[in-house]
Amino acid sequence: MQSWHYADLVYMYTYIAVGIAFIAVALGLSRLVAPHHPSKVKNEPYECGEVITGQPWIQFNVRYYVFALLFLIFEVETVFLYPLAVAYKTLVKTMGISAFIEMGIFVVVLGLGLVYPWRKGILKWV
Amino acid sequence: MAATKASKKSVSVPKITEETADITIVKEKLKSVAKELHEKENLHFEHLSFITAVDFGDYLELIYQFYSYKRKHSLTLRTRVLTKDLVIDSLTSIWKAADWQEREVYDLFGVKFKGHPNLKRILLAEDFPGHPLRKDFACKNDEEYILK
Amino acid sequence: MSPLVRLLVSLAISFPLLLLNVVFIIWFERKTLADIYGGIGPKHHGPFGLFQLAFDGMKLIAKEDVIPAKADKMLFIIAPFLVFVPAFMTFAAIPVYNNIYARNFDIGIFYIFGATTLIPVGIILAGWASFNKYSLLGGLRSAAQQISYEVPLLMATLGAVMLSGSLSLVEIVKAQSKVWFIVLQPFAFIFFFIVMLAELNRAPFDMPQAESELVAGYNVEYTGMRFAFFMFGEYAMLLVMSALVTILFLGGWNSPIPALNGLVPGITWFVLKTYLIVFIIIWIRGTFPRLRVDQLMHFSWKVLLPLNLANLLITSAILTVVYL
Amino acid sequence: MPGAKTDTIKLNIGPQHPSTHGVLYIKAELDGEIVKNAEPQLGYLHRAIEKLSENRYYHQALPAVDRCDYLCPNLNELVYCMAVEKLAGIKVAERAEYIRVIMAELHRITGHMVWAGSLVNDLGAMFTPLLYSVRDREKLLDLVEKISGSRMFPNYNRFGGVKLDIPEGWLQDVLNYIDIQEKNLVDFRNLVESEIFDVRTKGVAKLTTKQAINFGLTGPLLRATGFDWDLRRDEPYSIYDRFDFNVITEKDGDLRAIYNVRIAEVTESFKIIRQAVKDIPAGPICNKVPSPLRPDKGDCYVRIESSKGELGVYLVSDGSDKPYRLKLRTPSFCNLRAVQELVKDYKLADLIAIVGSIDIVLGDVDR
């Protein structure tokens, strides 16, 4: 790894640290200033002022997560498209038309990946 | 009082000739009469406007207001329940509109509708004492309830 | 300039800049929305109510911090960090001018998208940890929505990357010194703009918040400063994304007409373009109703994604012809 | 996914919720986003108007009735006055009839417009459409204030006529207001009728005429299913038979149809008001009414077409100076019943929109 890569990381971590520190300081300040009088009613979750029936932490319907799975597949594939896209100009110049064909194969495979769940009916929100 | 006049007629199956009609029936016949009102081609009362009750001391008069969009005539159907025995057939199976109307009458007058799928208080709280639209309901009950 | 000093200077500039901009955007949104619906907006504190946000901030600091008794305290506390910190992180990669930036990451786009992907995690955590049905629904919606729109977002960016041949934001802007990518990639621009709205949870895709249904969605239970940081992170992202649109498609600091180059400092153009995008986003919020959650999903997977793929194919075909 | 066990959520929507139009409380059961069951719980705004009226003189019940449907209070007054007039055999002054019609139609306009605004709000728009219609309502309230002295609850109708004569220039103000409202209506429609509005409203909560009648739905909800019925035309009360207007119907029975019906009805109301303003005769504004008022023993049912549907008053007199029984058949209450059946298997977002489309005013539901 080259030295400027480390510099990148230093920048990233510093920004993260400053972000966290900012929140921590603000929350600390708020703790100093703000009143703190917890009560039973106040600490109830909000549900339009009515008595709560049942609890929210349940076996939730899986349909939300199907999209998460799909996302995972597509995201990984798309990430592979990026190097190809960056190098596309040079690829075309060196390899000619076959660069486009490779790109086409990639996109078509992605497209098939979309068609499959579509036909399976997974994209339908039931 | 129109109600007392009409009650002498004691019609069980109504004949409707005029534009509007006002009949009184005995409460046992309510369901069968209602069915006929709804289904008979020449009656065809598809619209139930409202159901309400009026407290006359020892009996409650229940009033059903019907209208026929097709024949363009309306009908006021009256029947009575004694205060001692506040039970009557429910019409929810014929008109869905009757559902909340009956619940309201139950809530405010205490009339129980036999066969109603969900007979609960609708406007007042479940633990509210008494039925406020009855004439013997004193307003101070209300204050006691609120204070409680 | 030694590297350490440079880092400190960039922090010292970008941090207040972010704060000021966010505060200004919130004020700007309230004023603009008020103009749209025929109201007045903030007006009492300072000229045109500009100091309203300072007073709001004071109020939020002095507000009681309530954590529901049954909530998962740990996650509840972490969630605002996960929303705010990534937004701040991305700020490090935004170049305002040729040589004015905190850091010119050579994978700048990746860096930004990588950081923003953390935000849904924060939202889901907030929704789950609150022990509240509304926030749970909001969090789950966010899980489905932001994730679904992440893919088209990356795809829409690909066009700009292909044209410039670089992932560095500075390089991408430099590649637009003659023609902006909005001209070369009009469809990608439109897709990117739509997807950006969804990523930002902005109307008409503000499903995870959805006042009329979920009251405030994932942040129902948050009060005081914790709530403020959700808001803050959200508006910081609004700023970053608007800047990103400017960089990717609107030519960054390049002036609209090449002849004007050098007349005004390039930063002016950058700021103007960014705020134009911010304005359009606010305008959309003032006008459109919300989509439904299933329609939202269908739109992403069945409309945006195929169109993006098609756009990608066409772009690469044209590029092949041009480069050959 | 087959085989995966999932639980439903029991969610309380309301009474403290931003889009339940006041204090409606809906007990909903959700499977993910899908509404499996929704049961409205009423009574948070129950003010016992019916019971109160039994303990007051006839004219004292008027302000109470006013507060029923607080968006178009004049219609409540009108129907109550009509019932008392019918029972006591009071004739209404000719000029007053025209004023009543103008007032009623003005309130119908604002009722429809505020409904449309809040529907779009329920669909998730920013306040813009709602505030557009509230802005116009503000002008209407000025008009009401000018004629009756009070903005929200005019308490303006009297048995046999109206309280006060028209102030100078008021009719011109009304015409000006209509002109402005007509222009703003175009604006409003341009703003609201977007693609997103289309996909959110078309095909949602479809109803057939048969179902609608069985549910007891009336007014725009019924007309939106293609049923041609309007009490103003088919059972003309007051002087509606003198005006020329159309009854609007749509055939789809979904939210979009309801919206179309209501917006078109606003235009019809413009027509009626213009005719009424043109034809209004001079003369007394209120006939003499015996005091105290003691109608003969008897009962009557009077109904009018309010902006929400059939608004009726069933009045029983025992010959004394107080009503023996006053029953208000309010359209919000009767229409709201349908929500329970309509929302099944729609999304949570649709539930809010459907409740909004019914046009409930909680004062009208709970009374």
mmCIF file of all heavy atoms in Angstrom, chain D residues 80-98:
data_model
loop_
_atom_site.group_PDB
_atom_site.id
_atom_site.type_symbol
_atom_site.label_atom_id
_atom_site.label_comp_id
_atom_site.label_asym_id
_atom_site.label_seq_id
_atom_site.Cartn_x
_atom_site.Cartn_y
_atom_site.Cartn_z
ATOM 1 N N TYR D 80 -81.921 21.560 11.025
ATOM 2 C CA TYR D 80 -82.636 21.616 12.296
ATOM 3 C C TYR D 80 -83.803 22.593 12.216
ATOM 4 O O TYR D 80 -84.923 22.296 12.644
ATOM 5 C CB TYR D 80 -81.671 22.005 13.416
ATOM 6 C CG TYR D 80 -82.344 22.200 14.744
ATOM 7 C CD1 TYR D 80 -82.905 21.122 15.406
ATOM 8 C CD2 TYR D 80 -82.435 23.452 15.324
ATOM 9 C CE1 TYR D 80 -83.549 21.292 16.620
ATOM 10 C CE2 TYR D 80 -83.062 23.641 16.532
ATOM 11 C CZ TYR D 80 -83.626 22.557 17.183
ATOM 12 O OH TYR D 80 -84.252 22.730 18.368
ATOM 13 N N CYS D 81 -83.539 23.766 11.638
ATOM 14 C CA CYS D 81 -84.604 24.759 11.488
ATOM 15 C C CYS D 81 -85.730 24.205 10.626
ATOM 16 O O CYS D 81 -86.912 24.400 10.921
ATOM 17 C CB CYS D 81 -84.065 26.032 10.862
ATOM 18 S SG CYS D 81 -83.068 26.973 11.995
ATOM 19 N N MET D 82 -85.346 23.498 9.560
ATOM 20 C CA MET D 82 -86.383 22.945 8.688
ATOM 21 C C MET D 82 -87.259 21.953 9.446
ATOM 22 O O MET D 82 -88.475 21.906 9.243
ATOM 23 C CB MET D 82 -85.737 22.268 7.474
ATOM 24 C CG MET D 82 -85.359 23.245 6.382
ATOM 25 S SD MET D 82 -84.265 22.508 5.173
ATOM 26 C CE MET D 82 -85.234 21.140 4.607
ATOM 27 N N ALA D 83 -86.616 21.176 10.318
ATOM 28 C CA ALA D 83 -87.393 20.196 11.074
ATOM 29 C C ALA D 83 -88.369 20.890 12.012
ATOM 30 O O ALA D 83 -89.551 20.526 12.082
ATOM 31 C CB ALA D 83 -86.443 19.285 11.864
ATOM 32 N N VAL D 84 -87.883 21.904 12.719
ATOM 33 C CA VAL D 84 -88.769 22.612 13.650
ATOM 34 C C VAL D 84 -89.879 23.298 12.879
ATOM 35 O O VAL D 84 -91.048 23.289 13.289
ATOM 36 C CB VAL D 84 -87.958 23.622 14.486
ATOM 37 C CG1 VAL D 84 -88.877 24.435 15.367
ATOM 38 C CG2 VAL D 84 -86.925 22.909 15.313
ATOM 39 N N GLU D 85 -89.524 23.897 11.742
ATOM 40 C CA GLU D 85 -90.540 24.586 10.939
ATOM 41 C C GLU D 85 -91.610 23.619 10.463
ATOM 42 O O GLU D 85 -92.797 23.939 10.453
ATOM 43 C CB GLU D 85 -89.871 25.273 9.738
ATOM 44 C CG GLU D 85 -89.196 26.580 10.119
ATOM 45 C CD GLU D 85 -88.018 26.895 9.217
ATOM 46 O OE1 GLU D 85 -87.838 26.199 8.206
ATOM 47 O OE2 GLU D 85 -87.262 27.827 9.554
ATOM 48 N N LYS D 86 -91.169 22.431 10.079
ATOM 49 C CA LYS D 86 -92.136 21.446 9.598
ATOM 50 C C LYS D 86 -93.058 21.013 10.738
ATOM 51 O O LYS D 86 -94.272 20.905 10.559
ATOM 52 C CB LYS D 86 -91.387 20.229 9.048
ATOM 53 C CG LYS D 86 -92.290 19.230 8.355
ATOM 54 C CD LYS D 86 -91.454 18.176 7.671
ATOM 55 C CE LYS D 86 -92.316 17.088 7.088
ATOM 56 N NZ LYS D 86 -91.525 15.948 6.605
ATOM 57 N N LEU D 87 -92.480 20.826 11.894
ATOM 58 C CA LEU D 87 -93.259 20.348 13.030
ATOM 59 C C LEU D 87 -94.224 21.419 13.508
ATOM 60 O O LEU D 87 -95.375 21.136 13.850
ATOM 61 C CB LEU D 87 -92.286 19.968 14.165
ATOM 62 C CG LEU D 87 -92.700 18.851 15.095
ATOM 63 C CD1 LEU D 87 -93.015 17.601 14.297
ATOM 64 C CD2 LEU D 87 -91.580 18.564 16.073
ATOM 65 N N ALA D 88 -93.756 22.676 13.522
ATOM 66 C CA ALA D 88 -94.586 23.745 14.058
ATOM 67 C C ALA D 88 -95.383 24.446 12.969
ATOM 68 O O ALA D 88 -96.141 25.377 13.262
ATOM 69 C CB ALA D 88 -93.696 24.748 14.787
ATOM 70 N N GLY D 89 -95.194 24.024 11.741
ATOM 71 C CA GLY D 89 -95.936 24.636 10.649
ATOM 72 C C GLY D 89 -95.573 26.102 10.427
ATOM 73 O O GLY D 89 -96.436 26.942 10.215
ATOM 74 N N ILE D 90 -94.313 26.407 10.477
ATOM 75 C CA ILE D 90 -93.881 27.792 10.280
ATOM 76 C C ILE D 90 -93.484 27.975 8.825
ATOM 77 O O ILE D 90 -92.808 27.126 8.241
ATOM 78 C CB ILE D 90 -92.673 28.114 11.187
ATOM 79 C CG1 ILE D 90 -93.042 27.888 12.655
ATOM 80 C CG2 ILE D 90 -92.194 29.535 10.978
ATOM 81 C CD1 ILE D 90 -91.863 27.892 13.576
ATOM 82 N N LYS D 91 -93.919 29.086 8.240
ATOM 83 C CA LYS D 91 -93.506 29.416 6.868
ATOM 84 C C LYS D 91 -92.206 30.197 6.914
ATOM 85 O O LYS D 91 -91.974 30.982 7.840
ATOM 86 C CB LYS D 91 -94.584 30.267 6.203
ATOM 87 C CG LYS D 91 -95.753 29.490 5.658
ATOM 88 C CD LYS D 91 -95.629 29.429 4.147
ATOM 89 C CE LYS D 91 -96.620 28.494 3.472
ATOM 90 N NZ LYS D 91 -96.972 27.278 4.178
ATOM 91 N N VAL D 92 -91.387 29.977 5.918
ATOM 92 C CA VAL D 92 -90.105 30.673 5.883
ATOM 93 C C VAL D 92 -90.212 31.855 4.940
ATOM 94 O O VAL D 92 -90.806 31.748 3.861
ATOM 95 C CB VAL D 92 -88.994 29.736 5.400
ATOM 96 C CG1 VAL D 92 -87.654 30.424 5.480
ATOM 97 C CG2 VAL D 92 -88.994 28.480 6.219
ATOM 98 N N ALA D 93 -89.640 32.968 5.352
ATOM 99 C CA ALA D 93 -89.667 34.158 4.509
ATOM 100 C C ALA D 93 -88.917 33.901 3.216
ATOM 101 O O ALA D 93 -87.891 33.208 3.210
ATOM 102 C CB ALA D 93 -89.038 35.334 5.258
ATOM 103 N N GLU D 94 -89.446 34.446 2.137
ATOM 104 C CA GLU D 94 -88.896 34.174 0.806
ATOM 105 C C GLU D 94 -87.428 34.604 0.692
ATOM 106 O O GLU D 94 -86.575 33.856 0.227
ATOM 107 C CB GLU D 94 -89.754 34.944 -0.221
ATOM 108 C CG GLU D 94 -89.376 34.722 -1.657
ATOM 109 C CD GLU D 94 -89.862 33.396 -2.206
ATOM 110 O OE1 GLU D 94 -90.542 32.674 -1.459
ATOM 111 O OE2 GLU D 94 -89.563 33.082 -3.374
ATOM 112 N N ARG D 95 -87.150 35.806 1.147
ATOM 113 C CA ARG D 95 -85.776 36.308 1.057
ATOM 114 C C ARG D 95 -84.816 35.428 1.867
ATOM 115 O O ARG D 95 -83.692 35.149 1.439
ATOM 116 C CB ARG D 95 -85.750 37.746 1.566
ATOM 117 C CG ARG D 95 -84.413 38.451 1.404
ATOM 118 C CD ARG D 95 -84.555 39.905 1.816
ATOM 119 N NE ARG D 95 -83.285 40.597 1.940
ATOM 120 C CZ ARG D 95 -82.599 41.102 0.911
ATOM 121 N NH1 ARG D 95 -83.054 40.954 -0.322
ATOM 122 N NH2 ARG D 95 -81.457 41.728 1.093
ATOM 123 N N ALA D 96 -85.317 34.991 3.025
ATOM 124 C CA ALA D 96 -84.478 34.161 3.884
ATOM 125 C C ALA D 96 -84.114 32.849 3.203
ATOM 126 O O ALA D 96 -83.004 32.343 3.366
ATOM 127 C CB ALA D 96 -85.191 33.891 5.202
ATOM 128 N N GLU D 97 -85.069 32.301 2.437
ATOM 129 C CA GLU D 97 -84.779 31.047 1.737
ATOM 130 C C GLU D 97 -83.557 31.212 0.838
ATOM 131 O O GLU D 97 -82.678 30.348 0.797
ATOM 132 C CB GLU D 97 -85.977 30.617 0.888
ATOM 133 C CG GLU D 97 -87.187 30.158 1.678
ATOM 134 C CD GLU D 97 -87.130 28.692 2.037
ATOM 135 O OE1 GLU D 97 -86.021 28.187 2.246
ATOM 136 O OE2 GLU D 97 -88.208 28.057 2.106
ATOM 137 N N TYR D 98 -83.528 32.343 0.140
ATOM 138 C CA TYR D 98 -82.391 32.562 -0.759
ATOM 139 C C TYR D 98 -81.092 32.709 0.021
ATOM 140 O O TYR D 98 -80.058 32.171 -0.355
ATOM 141 C CB TYR D 98 -82.635 33.812 -1.624
ATOM 142 C CG TYR D 98 -83.513 33.511 -2.813
ATOM 143 C CD1 TYR D 98 -84.895 33.564 -2.728
ATOM 144 C CD2 TYR D 98 -82.930 33.153 -4.025
ATOM 145 C CE1 TYR D 98 -85.688 33.277 -3.815
ATOM 146 C CE2 TYR D 98 -83.720 32.856 -5.122
ATOM 147 C CZ TYR D 98 -85.102 32.913 -5.008
ATOM 148 O OH TYR D 98 -85.868 32.616 -6.094
#
